[in-house]
Amino acid sequence: MSLSVHIRKKLGDFQLAVDLEHPGGITGLLGASGCGKSMTLKAIAGIEKPDEGRIVLDGRVLFDSEKKVNLKPQDRKVGYLFQNYALFPNMTVEKNILCGLSAEKDRGMRKKKMEDMLEKMDLSEQRKLYPAQLSGGQQQRTALARMLVSEPEVLLLDEPFSALDSYLRELLQIQVKDILAGYGKDVLLVSHSRDEVYYLCGRTAVMEKGRILKTDETKKLFADPGSRAGAMLTGCKNIAGARKIGEYEVEVPEWGICLRTGKPVREDVCAVGLRAHYFNPKARENVFPVIYSSEREEPFEMRILFRYAGQKEGTGDLWWRLPKDRNPRIMPEKLGIAPQNVLLLYPEQIQEDEI
């Protein structure tokens, strides 16, 4: 299965310009609120019409502005899971699921498919309940059941865990991953949560201001996000402007240091990122004097804020995160970071046509 999306849409001052190739599996669209993630899904589903462009699902054209093709949502074979699940409040669980079977004319087959889905989603005991009587997880499974029972070719999940508390969110991420693996469907998942995307998605596209900046295998993208926006969205807390001073060396004026890098530095490097978990008082390279600022105790980690001894006034503290059982109690005089953990960040370049 493949999905090709090349669309443009103007909404006031906002310009959506998406070029995405989804080769299969689960791809995450990672971006801040308002960057165009949900609008992209709605365009694929046929809920929103792009001003121009083309959308092709497994060789089948869903939208083509030049050829005047714009299939109705019900003809696209696309399953869309809304953020709030969009269950019909005056319908029971089983009737909500039956809505996904409107194209099945055989009443006996409709009933069988509905029963099978109730069992697979562990909703048999809730079949006569209304959405308001369901827990958040049960509502989500009902919405997934209604979507999956229609046998779509691709699933579009729009912030599927945003309405849940943290405990339930983590529990349902595991369940949803198992469900999706069992059905073998291709998925586009929209999220602003890096943890969610990292756990669920084999590939990730970083989205900023209506455009996709970079797409790669998820672990590769987190290891090398490539831009300030990518670094921030993947959770990097320490980012500062930088310039090249050697093939494997950059100067960071804000912090008053020079860093050795694990990768060759391009001429257009504009910043570096240091992830908070990678600082080490026993490091042998990129070791500099530091000054303690403050700390915050979290349930399982410590967040220690510090400054480099030569850091410019008016610049923000750096974050160092470590497990509570490794809390040094007394701030080390120096901290270092391995060259391979220095993220080289470059000007944001809009991805065009190819991944």
Side-chain angles (χ1 to χ4, degrees), residues 48-67:
E48 292 282 351
K49 182 182 177 183
D51 296 331
E52 60 180 293
R54 199 163 188 260
I55 303 172
V56 181
L57 176 60
D58 202 27
R60 190 164 55 91
V61 178
L62 308 184
F63 174 80
D64 191 319
S65 57
E66 289 188 2
K67 297 181 179 180

Side-chain angles (χ1 to χ4, degrees), residues 236-249:
C236 186
K237 301 298 184 183
N238 307 306
I239 301 174
R243 67 181 185 88
K244 178 177 179 178
I245 57 173
E247 185 178 0
Y248 289 88
E249 191 173 13

Side-chain angles (χ1 to χ4, degrees), residues 176-228:
V176 168
K177 188 172 186 177
D178 290 341
I179 289 169
L180 296 177
Y183 278 89
K185 298 291 185 179
D186 290 322
V187 180
L188 278 182
L189 183 147
V190 154
S191 180
H192 63 270
S193 168
R194 65 181 186 277
D195 294 339
E196 195 170 289
V197 166
Y198 193 87
Y199 176 68
L200 290 168
C201 304
R203 295 180 64 81
T204 297
V206 171
M207 199 164 182
E208 173 84 353
K209 297 179 181 178
R211 291 166 167 78
I212 291 175
L213 303 180
K214 184 176 182 179
T215 307
D216 206 341
E217 293 176 17
T218 298
K219 290 185 178 180
K220 289 183 178 180
L221 186 139
F222 274 67
D224 184 14
S227 66
R228 277 182 178 262

Side-chain angles (χ1 to χ4, degrees), residues 132-150:
Q133 298 173 299
L134 303 175
S135 68
Q138 290 166 346
Q139 289 180 22
Q140 187 190 65
R141 294 204 307 276
T142 301
L144 278 169
R146 184 179 63 186
M147 178 177 63
L148 289 168
V149 79
S150 66

Side-chain angles (χ1 to χ4, degrees), residues 28-254:
L29 291 181
L30 178 63
S33 297
C35 74
K37 306 184 303 295
S38 295
M39 184 62 65
T40 300
L41 292 197
K42 289 176 181 177
I44 296 169
I47 301 170
E48 292 282 351
K49 182 182 177 183
D51 296 331
E52 60 180 293
R54 199 163 188 260
I55 303 172
V56 181
L57 176 60
D58 202 27
R60 190 164 55 91
V61 178
L62 308 184
F63 174 80
D64 191 319
S65 57
E66 289 188 2
K67 297 181 179 180
K68 310 298 183 185
V69 176
N70 185 25
L71 297 188
K72 296 178 180 179
Q74 59 267 33
D75 296 330
R76 295 196 176 200
K77 296 288 285 182
V78 169
Y80 191 108
L81 183 68
F82 292 88
Q83 291 183 30
N84 61 0
Y85 311 139
L87 296 172
F88 297 109
N90 60 336
M91 292 185 182
T92 62
V93 168
E94 62 181 12
K95 287 184 178 179
N96 263 283
I97 295 174
L98 284 171
C99 287
L101 289 163
S102 57
E104 178 58 69
K105 304 306 178 184
D106 186 313
R107 294 185 62 182
M109 186 58 67
R110 277 167 56 88
K111 180 174 174 58
K112 182 180 185 307
K113 288 183 177 181
M114 186 264 292
E115 294 288 348
D116 288 345
M117 189 58 67
L118 283 169
E119 183 177 350
K120 288 178 180 178
M121 290 293 184
D122 193 23
L123 290 167
S124 296
E125 294 184 5
Q126 290 79 33
R127 63 190 301 151
K128 297 298 183 182
L129 298 182
Y130 291 88
Q133 298 173 299
L134 303 175
S135 68
Q138 290 166 346
Q139 289 180 22
Q140 187 190 65
R141 294 204 307 276
T142 301
L144 278 169
R146 184 179 63 186
M147 178 177 63
L148 289 168
V149 79
S150 66
E151 299 180 355
E153 293 179 4
V154 67
L155 309 180
L156 309 178
L157 308 185
D158 191 353
E159 299 276 8
F161 307 99
S162 61
L164 306 173
D165 61 58
S166 58
Y167 171 76
L168 189 56
R169 186 184 305 126
E170 292 180 4
L171 179 64
L172 290 180
Q173 284 174 9
I174 297 172
Q175 294 180 2
V176 168
K177 188 172 186 177
D178 290 341
I179 289 169
L180 296 177
Y183 278 89
K185 298 291 185 179
D186 290 322
V187 180
L188 278 182
L189 183 147
V190 154
S191 180
H192 63 270
S193 168
R194 65 181 186 277
D195 294 339
E196 195 170 289
V197 166
Y198 193 87
Y199 176 68
L200 290 168
C201 304
R203 295 180 64 81
T204 297
V206 171
M207 199 164 182
E208 173 84 353
K209 297 179 181 178
R211 291 166 167 78
I212 291 175
L213 303 180
K214 184 176 182 179
T215 307
D216 206 341
E217 293 176 17
T218 298
K219 290 185 178 180
K220 289 183 178 180
L221 186 139
F222 274 67
D224 184 14
S227 66
R228 277 182 178 262
M232 293 175 65
L233 287 168
T234 56
C236 186
K237 301 298 184 183
N238 307 306
I239 301 174
R243 67 181 185 88
K244 178 177 179 178
I245 57 173
E247 185 178 0
Y248 289 88
E249 191 173 13
V250 292
E251 181 186 15
V252 189
E254 288 181 35

